[in-house]
Every structure is written in C-alpha cells, then in structure tokens.
Amino acid sequence: MSDASRAAKMESGGVVKGETGREAVEVAEAIKALQTQLADLRKIVQAAKTSGNIAEPGRRQ
C-alpha cells in the first residue's frame, strides 16, 4: 500500500459506506499531488533562504 493511500485510509477511518474504490483512488491521487506540491514549495523556500533572499514580514517583494 502506498503512503498516499495509507494516509487517505487513515484520514477517513477506512472506506466509508457508499464510497467507491474509484473515489478512494482519486482521493489518494489528490493527496499525492498535494504532497508533491508541498515538497516543491519546501525546495523553493530552502533555496530562497540559502540565497539570502528572505522577505521581511509585512512587506511584499
């Protein structure tokens, strides 16, 4: 079982009555996509920190 499907199953407490297998797969895929986006954002933040390009709170760059 993949981490995404395991996470989806833990969040929902297992398969809910009336939920199809396809819906569970779609939820797992959405979670995986969000995890990928989060990893990308973490890389961007880390790159900004190491380049010394840190925004000041309350100011837009």
Side-chain angles (χ1 to χ4, degrees), residues 46-60:
Q46 187 60 38
K49 284 182 180 179
T50 57
S51 70
N53 196 12
I54 301 173
E56 294 179 24
R59 299 184 83 193
R60 287 190 155 178

Side-chain angles (χ1 to χ4, degrees), residues 2-35:
S2 73
D3 289 340
S5 61
R6 186 177 299 117
K9 192 171 187 177
M10 290 174 74
E11 286 287 324
S12 67
V15 177
V16 179
K17 284 186 179 180
E19 181 178 80
T20 65
R22 180 66 192 148
E23 289 172 332
V25 169
E26 289 175 358
V27 168
E29 289 172 352
I31 291 171
K32 188 170 184 170
L34 289 171
Q35 289 172 331

Side-chain angles (χ1 to χ4, degrees), residues 4 28-44:
E29 289 172 352
I31 291 171
K32 188 170 184 170
L34 289 171
Q35 289 172 331
T36 301
Q37 290 176 348
L38 179 59
D40 291 343
L41 288 172
R42 285 181 175 152
K43 289 177 188 175
I44 291 168

